[in-house]
Amino acid sequence: FSTFGGELKWPKNSLTYRIENYTPDMSRSEVDNSIEKALNVWAKVTPLKFNKIYSGTADIMISFGGDVRGHFISHGDYYPFDGPGGTLAHAFAPSSGIGGDAHFDEDERFTFRSNSGYVLFMVAAHEFGHSLGLSHSDDPGALMYPTYSYRNPDTFVLPHDDVKGIHPPPPSTPDA
Ligand SMILES: CC(C)C[C@H](CC(=O)NO)C(=O)N[C@H]1Cc2cn(c3ccccc23)CCCCCCNC1=O
Ligand SMILES: [Ca+2]
Ligand SMILES: [Zn+2]
Ligand SMILES: [Zn+2]
């Protein structure tokens, strides 16, 4: 695993999130469920709590956007997506403003659990790793590995590398 560096951590354990818009690929409840499950993956191994809000600015703003035009308007960042395939989503390390936000490429076909598209739960769980301060892992089995691999959301268990990554190193105890 790797992190963005110790300072990029949330200074609090309860975070808010808001789903700003929805992909037409799935029903709203499937999107809500996928996002909630993806946050839960991390909540289960940390003291973090996630509270959903429906207006205003949340710590983690979640949106589906497209190319630089759509992207700029709906996201305000200059990392345009690349059409179908290629990059599926991106997210920002903890900080105010765009920090923590997760953007999904609307040109992708997101699915609830079928592998005939990209499983939103899997993509979101990866992105929220970034939102919480993790960077990429070189362990191909890790959730934070930079390329997408289909895993059944019903049986998904957070790999050990990611669990190690999200836990800050124990304070170095002075040797006895
Ligand atoms: C981990 C994922 C949820 C988020 C990552 C991006 C990321 O790290 N976000 O935080 C992602 O989208 N990775 C690409 C990486 C990638 C694979 N290829 C690419 C071709 C072009 C550009 C990028 C890629 C080869 C062709 C397959 C393209 C479709 C799948 N795409 C990927 O796996
Ligand atoms: Ca893309
Ligand atoms: Zn973006
Ligand atoms: Zn990533």
Side-chain angles (χ1 to χ4, degrees):
F1 68 90
S2 62
T3 63
F4 293 107
E7 73 288 351
L8 283 179
K9 266 179 51 112
W10 293 104
K12 52 190 175 178
N13 279 339
S14 76
L15 299 170
T16 53
Y17 72 99
R18 179 179 162 200
I19 302 175
E20 285 186 88
N21 59 6
Y22 284 80
T23 170
D25 306 342
M26 300 156 62
S27 74
R28 284 175 76 106
S29 61
E30 286 178 335
V31 173
D32 290 344
N33 183 285
S34 304
I35 295 299
E36 203 177 314
K37 238 172 96 72
L39 288 167
N40 234 335
V41 159
W42 298 105
K44 268 191 282 204
V45 294
T46 61
L48 294 169
K49 290 269 171 286
F50 295 101
N51 307 297
K52 186 173 183 181
I53 62 174
Y54 295 84
S55 66
T57 305
D59 297 312
I60 299 176
M61 296 289 270
I62 295 157
S63 58
F64 295 82
D67 61 20
V68 60
R69 178 182 37 73
H71 211 92
F72 176 73
I73 293 169
S74 55
H75 300 142
D77 68 27
Y78 289 92
Y79 302 101
F81 282 121
D82 47 7
T87 301
L88 306 179
H90 58 221
F92 298 85
S95 85
S96 60
I98 203 164
D101 294 3
H103 299 157
F104 296 84
D105 186 348
E106 73 182 6
D107 291 336
E108 309 304 341
R109 214 170 89 74
F110 291 110
T111 66
F112 188 48
R113 57 159 55 94
S114 122
N115 58 7
S116 72
Y118 298 104
V119 175
L120 180 60
F121 160 72
M122 284 308 304
V123 180
H126 173 97
E127 298 312 328
F128 294 148
H130 293 311
S131 305
L132 299 177
L134 284 187
S135 190
H136 284 151
S137 168
D138 53 13
D139 173 346
L143 174 64
M144 295 315 293
Y145 193 65
T147 52
Y148 173 86
S149 60
Y150 170 80
R151 279 168 268 195
N152 180 333
D154 300 335
T155 58
F156 177 76
V157 174
L158 188 63
H160 192 58
D161 182 76
D162 304 291
V163 176
K164 277 188 299 185
I166 198 71
H167 286 142
S172 53
T173 47
D175 37 6

